[in-house]
């Protein structure tokens, strides 16, 4: 288990904090003294998942390093909304690089620190999915291959949101973007299932790879803190819903991320040296329809008529994740997959 | 704006950009009325005492109960738990075992000897309470805490009213009853037992409300008169129905039978006992008969189980103890160990109609549990006091038509349970207190009800209810030991922590943690949170992710 479940307390460790929790059971985000690495006045949209994800991750990193973190940021939403000249929302040393070279710049900062024998200062590279899975991919792979002492965090919102919601290599099957219009016999994104960078990172056999979402704040904090226990290249892939690009309600950002995990579409796991060491089990199994329906980028799957085959294909992808990462106890899988396999996904939604 | 290449921007410079101006709606913290509090006839603030109990502050939790109800240990045994029926957690897994936590707190208070102080200064007013049942004792307790001098008079030999003479020992052990009554007496209430009150008007001071006695006679029994009276003599007259009976038929009423259980000799019932009626008293009578040695206790009721007025728990426990039921049956004749029974059938309106089909039932004794009537003799002839359908008519402030005479409990319209009685007593005390000050009691307006739909149940730990241990069914029917056991400290704590805190903030930090814009300010323990409206963009994530539904979105004014 990535974090302790505290029994017999109203919320256990499911909520951010709580008066009944002991000091060591409290999350970084529940503390009035958290560092707020990304502070007030940034210009992210209402309900931005990326702004939330970045604050949680970097605050956890600041706690883990005793406030000695340098962040290198690729071009993208996160950079644009946080530092419109001459303002900045960052409350830690922060460098802006090009769109495609953040992993290389971060590796350079790590090399400079090594040259100065400063092993107490740690480096975090960060970017969106465009800067990570497409434009910066060669630099990222090189950083992994050299095992540079950098934690690279990808905030994945599944398209180029900053420039107007164009398709990226992380855009999932069937999703509508400005460049994958919902027209034709197979509307929306036609190709593949989105580039699976966590698995690619694992193939580099780097010390630590993990996935997380903004729906489980404690898990995200845990993954960052765990990553900082390793030296060498580490990769953290965080799913951050984008209300603008996904067509979800601003208040539903966390709900959407939660459904991504509870359907099995986004498996939450961690891997060390190329091997999966733990996966967060699904708590309330949900069919993919519940996830798809609340996002306008999938509206063409339900209107004018339901595209059952396309939805079933998405469901099969979710089911494959569930078996592949062991997201349900074995007993539950047989019973539930039988139901889902028969195309009656809705019946198991809770 | 003239900065060189590779500049360093000022930390905190983005604060100049006050994103609060984007907002069209704002989140507002609200307090709502939890369904348990709403359902409680005694008006307890259940959610609040569960909250205090959750961190082990049992004494504070107990004091919170005592603000509304002086009998936590008794109510933790005999209440029919409307709170648990209303509990939102029932829609998630099982209702919170509120009643069992209340009992634990009540028992803990008796073990630790906690008492309630009287903090109000003496008012110089004297109030007479007639009837030492739950309603009268509740009123006496509350009036004493308000500073009034209270005398209770009761015709019975021991205090408690129906709690003693109507509720069997296996549901309410008498040491618990005695201890909780004694705690009230120890607060300074004068208890006069074996005293029948007559000519109630002569006991009232002329003029009623007005200036209290000044000087040395303040609050003293100067003339033996009182400033106000609360009458709560209950409904303890068993209703009889005309049943043609032979000379050798043995027929008694359930109220007398249960009252006789408190005497020296238990009533003689025989081996086969028939109980006529379908209410809680019928269940009590049948279960008591089993314990007195009856091999058969048969409840005869003219409708079906679904239409029985008895509470489900009582019916279930009676069946478990071997009590049998004859549905859709009326008794048409009784004689010499035999009852003649006519089968009934429900008509379209659900009313039972005779079918003309007869059977016989062997029974040594027939106990009538057909309802109870209020004893109205004390108020008959008092000018202005009105009666309708056998009960006293009272104003919303529980005052009868005669100024200064208030009434409550089973003798006024309403459901007849101990909990309702306690609620009446509390309300009467507050209204009497206001009346003595020539004022009217006004209650603060209630918050909106907190519905299940406002909760985000994802955040609550899965935790089924702790079931109270039950005495082995075989042992139950031969003894008057208490049937339902209590929780201990560890599982009472667990049970309290199952509370969802519906509609009221319990400081889980979710809003503070999930705001993408850092626009929630944490004010510290007990102080809750505040929205930083200079920066809140109005996304509503805090509202959506609040477990207890304690935040709502409100449109900004145009």
């Amino acid at each position: 288990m990535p974090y302790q479940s505290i029994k017999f307390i109203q919320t256990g460790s499911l909520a951010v904090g709580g008066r009944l929790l002991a000091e060591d059971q409290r999350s970084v985000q529940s503390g009035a003294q958290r560092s707020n690495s990304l502070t007030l006045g940034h210009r992210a949209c209402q309900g931005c998942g990326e702004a939330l994800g970045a604050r949680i991750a970097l605050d956890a990193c600041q706690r883990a390093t005793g406030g000695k973190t340098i962040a290198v940021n690729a071009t993208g939403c996160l950079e644009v909304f946080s530092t419109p000249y001459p303002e900045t929302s960052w409350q830690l040393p922060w460098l802006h690089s090009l769109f495609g070279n953040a992993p290389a710049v971060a590796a350079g900062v790590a090399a400079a620190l090594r040259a100065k024998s400063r092993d107490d200062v740690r480096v975090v590279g960060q970017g969106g999915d465009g800067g990570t899975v497409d434009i910066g991919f060669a630099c990222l792979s090189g950083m992994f291959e050299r095992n540079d002492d950098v934690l690279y965090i990808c905030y994945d919102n599944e398209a180029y949101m900053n420039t107007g919601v164009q398709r990226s290599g992380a855009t999932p099957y069937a999703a509508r973007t400005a460049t994958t219009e919902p027209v034709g016999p197979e509307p929306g994104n036609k190709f593949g299932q989105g580039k699976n960078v966590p698995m690619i990172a694992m193939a580099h056999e780097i010390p630590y790879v993990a996935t997380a979402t903004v729906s489980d704040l404690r898990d995200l904090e845990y993954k960052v803190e765990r990553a900082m226990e390793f030296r060498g290249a580490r990769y953290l892939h965080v799913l951050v819903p984008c209300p603008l690009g996904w067509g979800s309600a601003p208040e539903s950002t966390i709900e959407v991320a939660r459904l991504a995990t509870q359907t099995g579409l986004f498996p939450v796991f961690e891997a060390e040296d190329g091997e999966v060491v733990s996966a967060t089990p699904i708590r309330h199994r949900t069919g993919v329809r519940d996830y798809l329906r609340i996002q306008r980028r999938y509206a063409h799957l339900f209107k004018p008529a339901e595209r059952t085959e396309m939805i079933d294909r998405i469901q099969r992808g979710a089911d494959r994740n569930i078996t592949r990462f062991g997201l349900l106890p074995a007993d539950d899988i047989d019973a539930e997959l039988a139901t889902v396999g028969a195309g009656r996904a809705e019946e198991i939604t809770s | 704006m003239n900065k060189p290449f590779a500049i360093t921007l000022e930390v905190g410079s983005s604060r100049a950009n006050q994103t609060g101006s984007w907002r069209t709606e704002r989140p507002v913290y609200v307090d709502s009325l939890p369904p348990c509090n709403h359902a409680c006839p005694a008006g307890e603030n259940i959610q609040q005492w569960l909250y205090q109990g959750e961190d082990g502050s049992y004494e504070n939790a107990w004091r919170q109960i005592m603000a509304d109800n002086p009998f936590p240990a008794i109510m933790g045994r005999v209440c029919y738990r409307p709170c648990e029926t209303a509990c939102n957690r029932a829609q998630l897994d099982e209702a919170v075992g509120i009643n069992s936590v209340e009992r634990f707190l009540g028992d803990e208070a008796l073990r630790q000897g906690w008492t309630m102080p009287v903090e109000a200064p003496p008012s110089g007013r004297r109030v007479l309470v007639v009837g030492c049942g739950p309603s009268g004792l509740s009123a006496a307790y509350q009036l004493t805490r308000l500073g009034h001098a209270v005398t209770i008079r009761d015709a019975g030999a021991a205090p408690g009213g129906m709690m003693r003479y109507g509720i069997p020992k296996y549901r309410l052990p008498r040491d618990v009853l005695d201890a909780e009554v004694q705690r009230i007496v120890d607060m300074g209430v004068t208890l006069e037992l074996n005293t029948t009150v007559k000519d109630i008007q002569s006991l009232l001071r002329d003029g009623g409300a007005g200036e209290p006695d000044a000087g040395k006679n303040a609050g003293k029994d100067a003339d033996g008169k009182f400033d106000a009276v609360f009458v709560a003599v209950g409904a303890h007259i068993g209703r009889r129905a005309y049943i043609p009976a032979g000379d050798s038929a043995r027929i008694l009423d359930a109220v007398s039978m249960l009252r006789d259980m408190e005497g020296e000799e238990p009533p003689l019932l025989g081996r086969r006992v028939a109980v006529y009626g379908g209410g809680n008293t019928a269940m009590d009578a049948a279960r008591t008969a089993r314990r007195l040695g009856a091999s058969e206790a048969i409840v005869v009721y003219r409708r079906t189980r679904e239409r029985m007025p008895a509470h489900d728990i009582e019916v279930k426990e009676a069946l478990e103890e071997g009590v049998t039921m004859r549905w859709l049956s009326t008794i048409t004749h009784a004689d010499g160990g035999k009852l003649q029974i006519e089968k009934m059938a429900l008509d379209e309106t659900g009313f039972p109609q005779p079918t003309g089909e007869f059977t016989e039932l062997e029974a040594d004794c027939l106990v009538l549990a057909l309802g109870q009537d209020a004893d109205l003799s004390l108020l008959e002839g008092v000018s202005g006091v009105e009666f309708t359908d056998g009960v006293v008519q009272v104003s919303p402030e529980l005052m009868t038509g005669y100024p200064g005479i208030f009434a409550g409990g089973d003798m006024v319209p309403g459901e007849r349970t101990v909990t309702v009685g306690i609620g009446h007593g509390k309300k009467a005390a507050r209204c009497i207190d206001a009346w003595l000050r020539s004022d009217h009691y006004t209650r603060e307006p209630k918050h909106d009800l907190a519905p299940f739909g406002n909760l985000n149940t994802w955040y609550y730990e899965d935790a089924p209810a702790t079931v109270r241990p039950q005495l082995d069914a075989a042992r139950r029917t031969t003894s008057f030991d208490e049937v339902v056991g209590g929780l201990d400290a560890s599982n009472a704590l667990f049970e309290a922590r199952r509370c969802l805190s519906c509609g009221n903030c319990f400081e889980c930090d979710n809003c503070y943690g999930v705001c993408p814009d850092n626009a929630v300010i944490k004010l510290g323990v007990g102080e809750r949170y505040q929205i930083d409206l200079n920066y809140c963009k109005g996304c509503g994530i805090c509202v959506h992710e609040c477990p207890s539904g304690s935040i709502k979105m409100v449109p900004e004014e145009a």
Side-chain angles (χ1 to χ4, degrees):
Chain A
M1 284 296 289
Y3 56 95
Q4 180 80 40
S5 170
I6 296 136
K7 285 293 175 195
F8 308 153
I9 294 182
Q10 282 171 317
T11 62
S13 54
L14 295 165
V16 172
R19 69 191 176 115
L20 301 171
L21 293 172
E23 205 60 48
D24 61 343
Q25 293 165 331
R26 297 199 178 162
S27 64
V28 179
Q29 286 302 307
S30 70
Q33 303 306 315
R34 70 187 187 201
S35 52
N36 284 327
S37 305
L38 183 65
T39 193
L40 297 160
H42 66 70
R43 298 175 188 219
C45 306
Q46 276 188 334
C48 176
E50 191 172 30
L52 176 59
R55 188 188 75 225
I56 298 170
L58 289 174
D59 281 1
C61 197
Q62 286 286 61
R63 182 166 85 170
T65 61
K68 293 180 179 176
T69 306
I70 296 175
V72 176
N73 210 128
T75 298
C77 273
L78 183 58
E79 170 267 320
V80 168
F81 75 62
S82 63
T83 52
Y85 183 84
E87 292 169 7
T88 178
S89 310
W90 297 103
Q91 305 203 103
L92 81 173
W94 179 91
L95 287 94
H96 171 213
S97 72
L98 300 181
F99 210 153
N101 69 354
V105 173
V109 174
L113 290 167
R114 193 170 67 245
K116 298 186 71 151
S117 299
R118 289 297 300 267
D119 61 359
D120 56 330
V121 181
R122 308 295 301 274
V123 185
V124 171
Q126 53 182 2
D129 52 292
T132 305
V133 315
D134 295 341
I135 304 176
F137 190 63
C139 292
L140 184 68
S141 179
M143 188 199 101
F144 290 161
E145 187 274 326
R146 295 187 303 273
N147 200 26
D148 292 313
D149 187 19
V150 173
L151 167 63
Y152 189 90
I153 303 174
C154 170
Y155 302 105
D156 180 9
N157 55 23
E158 303 189 331
Y160 289 86
M161 299 312 185
N162 177 41
T163 49
V165 198
Q166 292 86 8
R167 176 192 184 281
S168 83
T171 301
Y173 169 70
R176 182 206 68 187
T177 66
T179 48
T180 53
E181 291 290 337
V183 291
E186 210 178 349
N189 189 27
K190 292 176 183 57
F191 316 102
Q193 77 289 320
K195 207 185 279 186
N196 193 334
V197 179
M199 298 298 275
I200 295 170
M202 281 166 65
H204 288 74
E205 300 201 354
I206 56 173
Y208 188 74
V209 174
T211 64
T213 77
V214 286
S215 71
D216 194 342
L217 182 151
R218 286 169 170 274
D219 179 65
L220 175 51
E221 289 185 354
Y222 161 80
K223 299 268 164 74
V224 171
E225 289 179 353
R226 177 76 181 130
M228 297 317 285
E229 292 172 11
F230 293 88
R231 292 280 168 172
R234 290 142 289 147
Y235 180 72
L236 179 58
H237 193 96
V238 187
L239 184 71
V240 290
C242 169
L244 177 77
W246 295 14
S248 52
E251 72 267 22
S252 301
T253 295
I254 289 174
E255 181 75 33
V256 173
R258 184 154 55 229
L259 285 169
T261 63
Q262 298 306 299
T263 53
L265 284 170
F266 188 85
V268 178
F269 65 93
E270 55 180 343
E272 293 176 14
D273 303 321
E275 299 291 336
V276 174
V277 292
S278 84
T280 305
I282 287 175
R283 195 162 155 246
H284 294 160
R285 177 83 195 277
T286 309
V288 296
R289 278 177 174 77
D290 286 3
Y291 171 73
L292 302 173
R293 268 209 191 94
I294 58 173
Q295 302 177 52
R296 278 201 312 282
R297 63 175 173 160
Y298 293 115
H300 53 277
L301 298 183
F302 300 96
K303 281 192 281 188
E306 184 177 288
R307 294 188 179 262
T308 309
E309 276 179 29
M310 294 179 75
I311 296 172
D312 284 350
R313 180 178 158 183
I314 296 169
Q315 182 68 55
R316 282 196 299 277
D319 296 344
R320 179 153 184 265
N321 283 335
I322 288 170
T323 17
R324 192 180 199 177
F325 294 95
L327 301 179
L328 284 175
D331 299 347
D332 295 356
I333 292 183
D334 295 341
E336 298 218 14
L337 288 189
T339 324
V340 179
R344 287 178 283 125
E346 272 171 308
E347 289 178 20
I348 60 157
T349 59
S350 52
Chain B
M1 298 292 278
N2 186 18
K3 304 232 180 196
F5 176 71
I7 44 98
T8 300
L9 299 174
E10 208 67 42
V11 173
S13 48
S14 65
R15 286 168 170 268
N17 182 32
Q18 300 211 337
T19 51
S21 62
W22 304 7
R23 196 177 55 240
T24 56
E25 288 181 293
R26 66 169 64 179
V28 174
Y29 291 93
V30 292
D31 281 302
S32 310
L33 176 64
C36 49
N37 291 10
H38 182 240
C40 181
E44 288 184 25
N45 190 346
I46 294 164
Q47 189 182 79
Q48 184 60 30
W49 59 255
L50 285 173
Y51 180 86
Q52 284 162 339
E54 277 159 25
D55 62 5
S57 309
Y58 299 137
E59 186 170 346
N60 290 342
W62 178 79
R63 290 190 187 283
Q64 178 66 54
I65 300 179
M66 291 296 284
D68 301 297
N69 167 16
F71 302 119
I74 295 173
M75 296 316 298
R77 289 171 165 83
V78 305
C79 183
Y80 289 112
R81 319 172 191 179
C83 50
E84 295 185 22
T85 308
C87 177
N88 277 336
R89 181 134 202 163
Q91 297 179 54
L92 190 61
D93 39 45
E94 283 177 76
V96 176
I98 297 166
N99 184 255
S100 49
V101 180
E102 182 174 35
R103 171 169 165 182
F104 168 77
L105 293 170
D107 287 354
E108 188 68 10
L110 295 178
R111 274 192 292 272
Q112 306 287 344
W114 295 329
T115 55
M116 291 297 284
V118 178
E119 280 159 358
S123 65
R125 298 295 202 169
R126 300 183 71 236
V127 181
L128 174 66
V129 173
V130 186
C132 195
S135 199
L137 284 163
S138 168
Y141 163 79
Q142 300 286 3
L143 286 163
T144 304
R145 292 182 65 217
L146 290 164
H148 307 299
V150 182
T151 300
I152 307 181
R153 288 181 185 156
D154 192 289
M162 273 298 176
M163 296 191 289
R164 182 179 304 274
Y165 297 110
I167 298 176
K169 283 175 189 160
Y170 57 85
R171 283 177 56 207
L172 177 57
R174 297 304 183 243
D175 55 341
V176 174
L177 172 63
D178 291 341
E180 292 213 310
V181 171
Q182 190 58 42
R183 195 167 55 211
I184 295 174
V185 174
D186 290 345
M187 289 170 73
V189 174
T190 308
L191 187 56
E192 296 174 5
L193 295 166
N194 298 310
T195 309
T196 305
V197 176
K198 292 193 185 91
D199 191 9
I200 196 166
Q201 284 151 287
S202 68
L203 294 168
L204 268 176
R205 274 202 187 108
D206 292 338
E211 288 304 310
D213 269 358
K216 61 182 168 65
N217 284 336
K220 296 230 178 77
D221 193 359
D223 52 2
K225 292 194 174 189
F226 297 91
D227 298 293
V229 182
F230 178 58
V231 183
V233 296
H236 51 81
I237 302 169
R239 205 172 285 159
R240 309 289 292 214
Y242 175 69
I243 295 172
D247 292 342
S248 60
R250 177 159 164 69
I251 301 177
L252 58 159
D253 75 271
V255 186
S256 314
M257 176 201 143
L258 292 170
R259 182 163 51 226
D260 289 348
M261 291 299 298
E262 289 300 307
E264 293 190 353
E265 290 292 318
L268 296 170
L269 299 174
R271 285 174 44 76
R272 283 183 304 267
V273 179
V275 178
Y276 195 19
N280 292 312
T281 309
M283 297 304 126
D284 285 344
R287 295 174 69 185
T288 300
R290 286 282 289 154
R291 285 172 171 77
L292 287 175
S295 55
E296 285 180 62
I298 308 127
V299 171
V300 180
Y301 179 55
R302 60 194 181 128
R303 303 183 204 214
T304 56
R305 173 165 181 178
E306 294 72 45
R307 290 172 179 277
M308 249 182 159
H311 289 96
D312 272 349
I313 319 168
E314 284 246 36
V315 179
K316 184 171 157 284
E317 287 182 359
L319 289 169
E320 282 168 7
E321 291 169 12
V323 171
T324 54
M325 310 275 174
R326 285 277 188 111
W327 313 113
L328 290 168
S329 303
T330 52
I331 297 171
T332 46
H333 189 265
D335 200 5
K338 279 200 173 58
L339 300 174
Q340 191 184 47
I341 304 239
E342 181 172 9
K343 293 297 290 173
M344 306 296 277
L346 294 185
D347 64 15
E348 288 151 9
T349 60
F351 198 80
Q353 298 293 350
T355 59
E357 223 180 290
F358 293 90
T359 53
E360 277 195 348
L361 177 69
E362 290 195 16
D364 301 323
C365 159
L366 173 61
V367 180
L368 301 179
L370 301 166
Q372 288 138 245
D373 289 323
D375 180 0
L376 303 173
S377 55
L378 177 59
L379 292 172
E380 273 164 3
V382 176
S383 62
V385 179
E386 290 174 24
F387 307 93
T388 311
D389 299 329
V391 286
V392 183
Q393 294 304 298
V394 287
S395 72
E397 294 176 344
L398 294 178
M399 189 154 82
T400 65
Y402 189 91
I405 299 183
F406 296 75
D410 286 356
M411 66 188 297
V412 305
E415 208 195 339
R416 288 174 172 176
T417 68
V418 181
T419 327
V420 170
I422 291 170
H424 281 179
K426 176 178 84 169
K427 186 175 174 191
R430 291 177 181 175
C431 294
I432 290 169
D433 177 64
W435 187 79
L436 290 173
R437 288 182 279 105
S438 305
D439 198 359
H440 285 278
Y441 173 64
T442 44
R443 194 171 55 189
E444 279 182 34
K446 289 186 174 178
H447 295 300
D448 292 338
L449 199 59
F452 181 76
N454 280 8
L455 304 173
N456 188 334
T457 57
W458 168 265
Y459 291 102
Y460 295 103
E461 193 96 65
D462 307 312
T466 313
V467 179
R468 282 193 270 195
Q470 292 216 343
L471 263 185
D472 185 34
R475 211 178 126 217
R476 275 196 227 167
T477 48
T478 55
S479 81
F480 283 88
D481 287 352
E482 192 169 13
V483 170
V484 183
L487 301 179
D488 62 29
S490 68
N491 50 20
L493 194 68
F494 168 59
E495 200 52 48
R497 288 175 171 189
R498 291 180 66 245
C499 173
L500 305 176
S501 190
C502 306
N504 295 292
C505 175
F506 61 101
E507 297 183 33
C508 72
D509 294 334
N510 255 21
C511 52
Y512 177 64
V514 301
C515 176
D517 303 306
N518 299 17
V520 176
I521 302 164
K522 183 171 171 167
L523 299 174
V525 179
E527 302 295 320
R528 298 184 176 181
Y529 312 89
Q530 188 187 329
I531 304 293
D532 187 343
L533 291 170
N534 288 331
Y535 295 98
C536 168
K537 293 169 186 167
C539 70
I541 290 184
C542 53
V543 176
H544 196 79
E545 300 304 319
C546 176
S548 62
S550 310
I551 319 175
K552 67 174 181 183
M553 292 304 277
V554 176
E556 292 288 343
E557 284 175 21

